[in-house]
Amino acid sequence: MSIDNPETQFLVVKNNQQQYSIWPTFRALPEGWQAIGIEGDKATCLAHINQEWTDMRPKSLQDAMA
């Protein structure tokens, strides 16, 4: 399987800094990232991230500026 294959399924993942990414389902998640329960094709996952991740600053920076 390849990440460039249009049939590849992805997970939406988030790290402890509240940063989002997508990760192919056929690979183990990297350390520090958690799946948040959204799975689908690349476009679906990226659309979810675009809707949810409105503040691109890492959580530590958000907290420091609060």
Side-chain angles (χ1 to χ4, degrees), residues 2-15 18-53 56:
S2 164
I3 62 171
D4 296 325
N5 182 330
E7 294 185 19
T8 298
Q9 294 291 293
F10 292 87
L11 300 169
V12 176
V13 296
K14 188 164 66 169
N15 66 16
Q18 306 300 310
Q19 296 168 308
Y20 287 82
S21 189
I22 61 173
W23 197 256
T25 58
F26 62 87
R27 290 190 179 159
L29 289 177
E31 188 173 326
W33 292 85
Q34 301 287 325
I36 65 164
I38 305 298
E39 181 177 337
D41 62 18
K42 185 184 263 187
T44 298
C45 291
L46 290 175
H48 178 79
I49 290 172
N50 285 334
Q51 180 181 5
E52 293 294 317
W53 195 17
M56 300 300 220

